[in-house]
Each structure stands twice: as structure tokens, then as C-alpha cells.
Amino acid sequence: MNLKGVQLTWLGHATFRIETPAGKTIIIDPWVMNNPACPPSEKKVKKVDTMLITHGHGDHIGDAVEIAKQHEPQVVGIPELCGWLEKKGVKNTAMMNKGGTQLVGDIKVTMVHADHSCGIQDGDQLVYGGEACGYVVEFDNGVKIYHAGDTNVFGDMAIIRELYAPEIVMIPVGDHFTMGPREAAYACNLLKPKTVIPMHFGTFPMLTGSPAELQKLVPDLNVVTLKPGVTVRDSIAA
Ligand code: NI
Ligand code: MN
């Protein structure tokens, strides 16, 4: 499908950088420095206008505070998580909650459900981080994507499909902490996207689910495995 000016770069695990047609840079789940799947060339983030955070686990917010302090992007997250980020010195939080949609820069962001936990490990304290979520992002060229965050499959993915109809979905397939290929295939049947981008696999040995296993279960769908650090422009597989 034609991305119509949206540029997508997977930075490994659940982290994505997206350039909008107007040239704004979005980062989803900023974990680069200690992310073993992030290529060295991407460990230093050069520019961010908008940061979207799905939940407070370290493999999703690992570098959120540092990057937010350096680049001062608008930071979208659930209120409890944004409150914690503010305590750490992060400015420009744009908190929201599930079901809500807000315009952030040149994108429309909808926070949707995810079924996962959300404690924040802060030194030796475990802080309540609200709930885990996913995001549907609509670009001003009409392209819609869904980043599921960490989640199992849940029946209300059918509602995400009916209300928002994202063409591209980023869903976890690694198993153990999130859904694996079998649940991901079921998620695809609920979401009916044009393109599936698997994420949250292979980063650690225990994340054993693979995109190839998912592709076998959904032979009619485009499962596109991105290479970390390689930007997809113009079009994404059929
Ligand atoms: Ni998690
Ligand atoms: Mn995770």
C-alpha cells in the first residue's frame, strides 16, 4: 500500500520512528540505548516532535525521560504515566485516556485498549503507571496505523477495526509477555489490516514467537518484517 509520504522506521522491539508527510518526527515507545535490537546508528535520537508511550515497562519507556528532556516533544500517555514523567522533569505532556482522540501536531491520536500490566520500576520502588494502552494514529493524508503496545489478543480489536479501520497494524508476536503467533493471527482476523508489521519478538531468547509462524497462520495477509534502522518510504508490500 501507498504510504503517501509517511516514513516508517522500526528501531527494534516495540520502538518505531515515524516521519509525517509534513516532516514531523514521532517516536513510539522510546527504548534505544539498552535495546539490543536497536542498531548503533539509531541509539542517539536526533529529533522528536511527538512521543507516544504505550505503558511503563522498561522496554518501552527506557529512554523516555532522557529523550523528552533533550528534545522537548509533546509526550502522549495515560495520566498516571504522564504524572510520573512530569515528576522526572518531563515537560509538555499531553495526557489522555482510552477512547479519547486528540490532535497532536499534525496527527490524530486515539488511545485504545491493551490487555497488559503497567507498573513502573523506579529504582527500588514499583510505581502505579495507570494501564497499558495501544494507539491508532491517523496522518493528515488519511493513512491510519495501529500500534498495539504489549497485549494479548482481545475481542474488542473488532471495535478498533470497525471504528478506525487501520490499514497497517504493528502487533507483538514474541509470546511470553505478549501474544504469540497464534493469538496474533486471531488479532489479524479481528483487525483485517492490509499490512501487518510484527514486533516485540527475538529481542531476548524468551521471546520465541516469530513473524514466519504468524505468516503461516495468515497466508492471505502481508506480514512485513522490517529491518531495524531501515526506513520504509513510499509503499509497503502490496
Ligand atoms: Ni510490557
Ligand atoms: Mn514489552
Side-chain angles (χ1 to χ4, degrees):
M1 64 166 288
N2 191 336
L3 291 172
K4 301 179 199 164
V6 174
Q7 300 183 27
L8 279 178
T9 312
W10 186 39
L11 303 185
H13 206 58
T15 308
F16 287 83
R17 185 181 68 237
I18 304 172
E19 264 82 40
T20 72
K24 299 276 186 208
T25 301
I26 302 159
I27 192 164
I28 306 179
D29 283 351
W31 186 48
V32 288
M33 286 308 297
N34 297 310
N35 178 351
C38 179
S41 59
E42 297 284 349
K43 296 222 181 246
K44 189 151 173 47
V45 171
K46 294 169 195 85
K47 175 179 181 278
V48 190
D49 300 292
T50 306
M51 184 183 281
L52 306 183
I53 300 179
T54 64
H55 66 294
H57 289 158
D59 57 324
H60 298 260
I61 61 162
D63 299 308
V65 171
E66 193 180 324
I67 294 169
K69 280 184 178 170
Q70 189 185 354
H71 296 285
E72 302 196 344
Q74 283 196 282
V75 180
V76 178
I78 213 154
E80 292 81 359
L81 178 60
C82 284
W84 180 82
L85 290 169
E86 284 169 5
K87 277 196 197 140
K88 298 291 168 189
V90 172
K91 299 188 178 83
N92 307 327
T93 58
M95 60 178 70
M96 66 191 301
N97 219 315
K98 294 177 188 182
T101 299
Q102 64 172 328
L103 194 64
V104 185
D106 59 346
I107 57 171
K108 237 159 81 176
V109 181
T110 302
M111 181 178 278
V112 296
H113 183 62
D115 202 352
H116 191 72
S117 63
C118 187
I120 305 169
Q121 192 69 49
D122 185 352
D124 61 356
Q125 301 284 309
L126 188 60
V127 177
Y128 178 66
E131 290 189 8
C133 71
Y135 291 103
V136 175
V137 175
E138 182 174 353
F139 300 94
D140 63 2
N141 61 8
V143 170
K144 280 173 280 182
I145 64 164
Y146 164 49
H147 185 295
D150 281 2
T151 189
N152 56 357
V153 69
F154 52 91
D156 288 352
M157 284 180 175
I159 297 179
I160 294 173
R161 154 74 187 168
E162 282 173 27
L163 286 179
Y164 307 109
E167 299 98 340
I168 300 172
V169 301
M170 294 96 142
I171 57 173
V173 301
D175 215 324
H176 201 97
F177 294 111
T178 67
M179 57 187 175
R182 188 174 174 214
E183 289 206 5
Y186 200 96
C188 290
N189 290 334
L190 295 173
L191 292 163
K192 297 184 178 34
K194 290 197 174 110
T195 301
V196 183
I197 300 176
M199 62 175 181
H200 214 281
F201 64 90
T203 323
F204 320 112
M206 63 176 66
L207 304 187
T208 54
S210 73
E213 285 170 79
L214 172 61
Q215 181 69 82
K216 259 189 237 161
L217 298 169
V218 289
D220 297 333
L221 255 180
N222 277 308
V223 176
V224 177
T225 307
L226 300 182
K227 195 170 182 298
V230 176
T231 300
V232 179
R233 295 184 173 83
D234 304 324
S235 71
I236 187 159

